[in-house]
Amino acid sequence: MFNQYAYLDSIKGVAPELEAIHRVSGMRNLEEPLENIRNLKDYMLLVEDDDDGYFDLDDKNADHGFRTFYVIGRAKLNDSSSRTAVQNQCKLYALKLFKQFKADSHNFGDPAYGFDSSRIDYRRIGPLVENYHGFAFSYVITNENFNLV
């Protein structure tokens, strides 16, 4: 089973600008962990503990799980150009991570096997605690072990 936090922690070096990685549980609870983190970094990776997904009963791989993580950065207060620049950087850092996902997903046994690079959803988030902005990125991992017979 794919462990998003462990995998992202193992590849965080491809985007060294993401100075910290933290676990979170749901968009609604996103600010609470940030309030408890000491020495917030300029750019951070926040990883959802749980995953969601969908069932496709017509597909051989019935269970399609999607995962979500957040890339956030601190913008200057009341500065829309700073916010835009931070958001653009967040997208670039996520693209670096997804490039590694794709490289690690080709063969059975690869750490990100089942990663579907054909669709990655993103949505803007912020402002969060201390004027953080960024994006939530959701992607699909197909689970080849849950087949309907």
Side-chain angles (χ1 to χ4, degrees), residues 10-149:
S10 75
I11 67 163
K12 67 184 174 198
V14 301
E17 304 85 356
L18 297 173
E19 303 169 287
I21 181 172
H22 300 284
R23 294 177 192 265
V24 295
S25 182
M27 181 67 174
R28 174 181 275 163
N29 299 323
L30 194 55
E31 287 192 349
E32 186 177 321
L34 289 175
E35 290 173 347
N36 296 324
I37 296 171
R38 303 268 186 247
N39 302 318
L40 292 172
K41 305 297 183 187
D42 286 339
Y43 286 93
M44 292 187 291
L45 180 61
L46 307 175
V47 182
E48 283 278 357
D49 283 331
D50 299 320
D51 58 305
D52 295 313
Y54 65 93
F55 292 126
D56 182 347
L57 301 180
D58 294 330
D59 187 351
K60 182 179 176 187
N61 296 324
D63 188 10
H64 299 272
F66 60 86
R67 312 304 200 277
T68 301
F69 66 85
Y70 310 90
V71 178
I72 61 171
R74 190 181 331 209
K76 294 177 185 170
L77 197 57
N78 299 322
D79 185 339
S80 62
S81 63
S82 172
R83 182 182 67 245
T84 300
V86 163
Q87 289 172 329
N88 288 338
Q89 285 302 121
C90 289
K91 278 186 185 176
L92 290 175
Y93 300 150
L95 286 172
K96 287 181 180 183
L97 295 172
F98 283 123
K99 183 178 178 184
Q100 189 64 48
F101 268 77
K102 193 169 181 177
D104 289 343
S105 68
H106 296 297
N107 300 308
F108 184 77
D110 283 351
Y113 183 73
F115 169 64
D116 180 359
S117 62
S118 67
R119 180 174 178 174
I120 300 167
D121 295 338
Y122 62 90
R123 66 186 178 281
R124 194 176 28 200
I125 58 171
L128 300 171
V129 173
E130 295 195 27
N131 210 35
Y132 277 90
H133 295 268
F135 289 91
F137 297 92
S138 297
Y139 58 95
V140 171
I141 295 282
T142 56
N143 182 353
E144 69 287 344
N145 296 320
F146 188 84
N147 292 328
L148 291 179
V149 280

